Amino acid sequence: MHPAGLCAASLGSLGLLRFLGAPWPWSLLAALGLCVCGGGWRLLRLLYRTAPRDLFGLSVLVRVKYQLRKHQQARSTVPKMFQAVVLRHPDKVALIYEGTGEQWSFRRLEEYSNAVANCCSQQGFRGGDVIAIFMESRPEFVGLWLGMAKVGIEAALINFNLRLDSLVYCVRSSGARALVFGGELSSAISEVNGMLGKNMAKFCSGDYNPALVPVGTTHLDPLLSAASKSAPAQIPGKGLDDRLFYIYTSGTTGMPKAAIVVHSRYYRIAAFGYYAYKMHPDDVLYNCLPLYHSAGNIMGIGQCLIHGLTVVIRKKFSASRFWDDCVKYKCTIIQYIGEICRYLLNQPVREAEAQHRVRLAVGNGLRPIIWEDFTRRFRIKQIGEFYGATECNCSIANLDGKVGACGFNSRILPGIYPIRLVKVNEDTMELIRDSRGLCIPCRPGEPGLLVGQINQQDPLRRFDGYVSQSATSKKIASDVLRKGDQAYLSGDVLVMDELGYMYFRDRSGDTFRWRGENVSTTEVEGTLSRILNQTDVAVYGVEVPGVEGKAGMAAIADPQAQLSPSLLHQELQKVLPPYARPIFLRLLPQVDTTGTFKIQKTRLQEEGFDPHQTSDRLYFLDPKLGRYVPLDEGLYQRIRAGKAAL
């Protein structure tokens, strides 16, 4: 019997016996007997192992939900929440900019954002308009979108690494009427000026060089200096469910999509991080993540705007300066994402890493294989790993430091937080349904797609989707857990153990089958990276004509051309089963990553093992010789013709 069902049956029998007049001792004994006979020893073990975690998780959930209800009733918004923080401690340091050492008090951030709000109104922008922001991370970035939100303008936060077609696509797809860009990105805007349209108003913030900015660009700074620093006179009738800004997906499998972030979602993400990891207003958070991304701008900056923490902004992540910064600014919390922890481990030991005050590292993407090495070397007391996407309604969090887990769901009361893992065809990612047309929930140990039931009336379960309606529709499925329901499809495959801990298995499409076995690219990447002293590695499956499944291929950063494929194969034989060892190697100067430190695989997968597609060194694992051999044109053709053994 399911733990929840067994618990309900035991409690029901207890109530029935008491109703019939049985004494308390006999009633309790009978209920306990029913529990044990029905496999209750497993339930008792489950309760013992998970009750503290589940109760704490429930307390966090209740607290966030209660606060959301209060804010909803007060028709509060993120700017209003920030104003309450300013009133509590106007002179406290809100933001520190590492690039200049500049410190912004809460009062200064409030006045700057008020100037932005008043300036936007003077320029003729109104509530519901969209303005794109394209600049590197610094305090002004926060003040710009916050000020726009004060008068109901929605900001589109553009990745400052984008150029040419991708940049134009993101700006135009948001429906932006204007673009605010940093002076440091003037040349990037000049390159696409003709493609942005004649009606696109352009404002430059920071260094203004008339020779570099496009013709017709207005220098924003003088306008802000002249604008009133008082709160805007006309405040739009916005509420928690209204749009705040847009954050773009990474675009690893196509053009980025603009995800809608409403005020309640901003609060929810920031509040869950605050309460789940026991942050407090005296904490100093080190944020080297890009502010166009939800981790940097919501989980990070949100702690400043909503809860009054001081946040240190670093323009760009630096592995060599990371711990020096933490010591200098007395940071107690750090953020990570993607490969950042591996980059830090790859650095030589330095004095600062033993002098910092950091107690909590919060983020996602910490590989299980380096988890304990990271906490041990840098003396981090708690890892706050979580799973989530900007737009998803099924975020989960690791609350008790379980190594490798990205979160959990209660096995005793799974309905409290309606998320599930459901069975899918891992090759096509199509949902597998039963005879009733419903999805099939996974049992512990079975990989499945993470889904979250949608309820637009509940701020914790709503799904706001993307600016593109077609993109939104693709992420929603009907008749998932019961007839007539709708659920958000995360696109990610996870595995849950018997205690309810969940582990990220792989981004959909990355797991592949070879020799009848599922190969986890995450696992193989972690193994290769460890063998090669934390070198950047991308593992993916490639199709070979006439061969079932996909053969594993590893792209490895080897800028000095020093890697020995023969020695690598010897090491792989010790740690990976035959089916998981890459058949092909590609040694290249560097492995591309996104602005949020996720390894890019799309181009690598498309190019496959074709020597015509690249000048990088390619190798093939010859099963007859038992080693990697150079992959030249002749060998490539023999593989394609089925004349080379795999």
Side-chain angles (χ1 to χ4, degrees):
M1 185 181 291
H2 190 280
L6 184 59
C7 187
S10 300
L11 291 174
S13 65
L14 175 64
L16 178 62
L17 288 169
R18 287 294 297 145
F19 177 76
L20 295 175
W24 269 110
W26 287 103
S27 300
L28 286 170
L29 193 61
L32 183 61
L34 176 63
C35 180
V36 172
C37 292
W41 61 272
R42 293 190 183 90
L43 174 62
L44 294 174
R45 175 178 174 273
L46 196 61
L47 280 168
Y48 175 75
R49 297 282 299 277
T50 66
R53 177 201 68 185
D54 290 4
L55 288 172
F56 177 61
L58 179 61
S59 71
V60 172
L61 189 68
V62 169
R63 193 166 187 177
V64 173
K65 202 159 189 173
Y66 172 73
Q67 294 292 341
L68 274 169
R69 182 167 295 177
K70 279 180 58 179
H71 287 304
Q72 232 168 4
Q73 291 173 344
R75 289 197 58 80
S76 191
T77 59
V78 169
K80 290 179 182 177
M81 297 177 203
F82 173 68
Q83 287 168 351
V85 174
V86 176
L87 288 174
R88 287 202 298 271
H89 37 58
D91 297 318
K92 181 183 176 181
V93 176
L95 302 173
I96 300 174
Y97 182 45
E98 179 277 333
T100 61
E102 201 176 4
Q103 298 189 358
W104 285 46
S105 67
F106 280 90
R107 178 186 283 113
R108 180 177 175 183
L109 182 56
E110 166 77 348
E111 291 177 348
Y112 182 90
S113 59
N114 285 340
V116 170
N118 292 315
C119 178
C120 286
S121 297
Q122 291 165 5
Q123 293 295 315
F125 298 104
R126 297 291 179 265
D129 287 342
V130 178
I131 297 178
I133 301 177
F134 182 61
M135 64 167 50
E136 294 178 345
S137 299
R138 57 178 184 264
E140 287 84 356
F141 187 103
V142 180
L144 283 167
W145 72 254
L146 181 62
M148 293 174 189
K150 289 184 175 184
V151 287
I153 295 170
E154 300 152 15
L157 311 183
I158 310 295
N159 181 338
F160 57 69
N161 297 295
L162 297 181
R163 296 295 183 271
L164 301 174
D165 292 346
S166 297
L167 173 56
V168 173
Y169 175 83
C170 287
V171 173
R172 297 185 67 173
S173 64
S174 70
R177 285 187 55 198
L179 169 67
V180 176
F181 63 92
E184 71 278 6
L185 297 171
S186 296
S187 58
I189 297 301
S190 294
E191 287 176 342
V192 300
N193 186 45
M195 295 183 279
L196 291 175
K198 296 180 180 179
N199 295 326
M200 178 70 68
K202 291 175 285 294
F203 300 87
C204 178
S205 171
D207 295 335
Y208 181 84
N209 186 338
L212 294 179
V213 300
V215 174
T217 298
T218 302
H219 192 193
L220 181 63
D221 295 3
L223 297 180
L224 295 180
S225 296
S228 170
K229 293 179 173 58
S230 301
Q234 293 187 342
I235 299 177
K238 293 268 186 176
L240 273 186
D241 295 335
D242 290 309
R243 297 183 182 190
L244 176 59
F245 53 54
Y246 307 119
I247 285 181
Y248 290 78
T249 62
S250 61
T252 53
T253 56
M255 283 294 191
K257 301 187 294 290
I260 298 168
V261 178
V262 298
H263 292 260
S264 63
R265 177 166 296 278
Y266 191 97
Y267 176 82
R268 169 196 168 182
I269 294 173
F272 266 120
Y274 184 80
Y275 294 120
Y277 300 122
K278 300 178 181 178
M279 300 180 188
H280 48 79
D282 293 332
D283 277 321
V284 179
L285 187 148
Y286 184 69
N287 185 354
C288 60
L289 306 182
L291 299 187
Y292 58 74
H293 188 261
S294 55
N297 201 352
I298 308 180
M299 183 61 80
I301 296 298
Q303 307 310 332
C304 168
L305 303 185
I306 305 297
H307 299 111
L309 277 71
T310 297
V311 174
V312 179
I313 297 174
R314 185 179 177 91
K315 181 173 66 174
K316 187 177 181 181
F317 165 69
S318 168
S320 62
R321 293 293 307 166
F322 191 93
W323 296 112
D324 293 318
D325 287 346
C326 289
V327 171
K328 179 179 179 179
Y329 297 110
K330 301 178 181 178
C331 299
T332 55
I333 302 172
I334 59 174
Q335 284 189 273
Y336 67 87
I337 195 170
E339 300 296 300
I340 280 181
C341 295
R342 184 170 60 81
Y343 295 151
L344 292 174
L345 273 175
N346 199 28
Q347 288 289 303
V349 175
R350 48 177 34 92
E351 192 176 347
E353 66 187 57
Q355 299 174 335
H356 65 78
R357 303 181 182 181
V358 175
R359 60 174 170 73
L360 167 67
V362 61
N364 53 61
L366 176 54
R367 299 187 183 210
I369 202 165
I370 66 168
W371 187 299
E372 292 177 295
D373 291 340
F374 183 80
T375 56
R376 184 167 49 249
R377 173 175 167 181
F378 299 119
R379 302 178 301 107
I380 305 296
K381 293 180 181 178
Q382 183 180 8
I383 297 293
E385 176 82 5
F386 64 89
Y387 167 86
T390 302
E391 68 278 23
C392 84
N393 71 342
C394 50
S395 301
I396 53 176
N398 183 334
L399 303 182
D400 56 0
K402 175 70 172 177
V403 174
C406 59
F408 76 96
N409 196 27
S410 175
R411 295 291 318 284
I412 305 298
L413 298 171
I416 294 294
Y417 191 49
I419 65 171
R420 293 290 186 279
L421 298 182
V422 297
K423 292 185 178 182
V424 290
N425 180 320
E426 290 191 54
D427 292 326
T428 64
M429 294 307 294
E430 292 182 5
L431 297 167
I432 298 174
R433 297 181 181 269
D434 61 19
S435 58
R436 300 171 298 165
L438 299 177
C439 292
I440 304 173
C442 296
R443 295 190 297 270
E446 293 181 336
L449 180 73
L450 181 64
V451 301
Q453 279 194 306
I454 296 173
N455 179 353
Q456 292 301 104
Q457 307 309 312
D458 185 343
L460 300 183
R461 295 168 58 188
R462 62 181 290 134
F463 173 55
D464 298 291
Y466 311 94
V467 172
S468 166
Q469 188 56 48
S470 62
T472 301
S473 300
K474 290 176 182 177
K475 299 293 283 187
I476 299 175
S478 299
D479 301 332
V480 177
L481 301 178
R482 63 173 185 269
K483 286 292 183 181
D485 72 354
Q486 288 190 317
Y488 164 79
L489 306 176
S490 71
D492 290 318
V493 175
L494 281 72
V495 178
M496 182 176 70
D497 67 16
E498 62 176 0
L499 299 179
Y501 290 106
M502 292 192 181
Y503 305 84
F504 187 82
R505 175 168 172 141
D506 248 327
R507 186 72 54 180
S508 62
D510 281 357
T511 301
F512 59 89
R513 287 184 68 80
W514 181 246
R515 304 299 189 206
E517 300 281 354
N518 285 323
V519 180
S520 166
T521 61
T522 303
E523 180 182 344
V524 179
E525 284 170 354
T527 300
L528 280 167
S529 185
R530 187 183 71 248
I531 291 172
L532 300 171
N533 295 318
Q534 310 306 331
T535 297
D536 282 352
V537 177
V539 175
Y540 45 94
V542 294
E543 293 183 357
V544 180
V547 179
E548 184 180 354
K550 291 184 177 181
M553 186 164 185
I556 302 172
D558 185 28
Q560 306 301 322
Q562 295 178 335
L563 189 148
S564 168
S566 297
L567 292 177
L568 176 62
H569 182 245
Q570 292 175 21
E571 294 298 318
L572 290 177
Q573 287 178 303
K574 301 175 186 176
V575 293
L576 286 179
Y579 65 83
R581 297 169 196 159
I583 303 300
F584 301 99
L585 297 182
R586 178 173 176 174
L587 308 184
L588 66 172
Q590 66 178 30
V591 176
D592 294 339
T593 58
T594 67
T596 51
F597 308 101
K598 297 175 184 175
I599 289 176
Q600 288 268 31
K601 300 183 185 180
T602 305
R603 177 178 61 84
L604 298 171
Q605 285 176 308
E606 291 173 350
E607 293 173 352
F609 59 97
D610 185 351
H612 298 105
Q613 296 286 335
T614 178
S615 59
D616 299 330
R617 290 179 293 151
L618 300 174
Y619 292 87
F620 168 67
L621 181 56
D622 190 318
K624 293 181 178 179
L625 298 177
R627 60 183 173 84
Y628 286 108
V629 298
L631 199 164
D632 56 18
E633 172 65 21
L635 179 54
Y636 171 71
Q637 293 300 340
R638 290 201 305 277
I639 294 172
R640 287 188 57 82
K643 296 179 180 179
L646 289 175

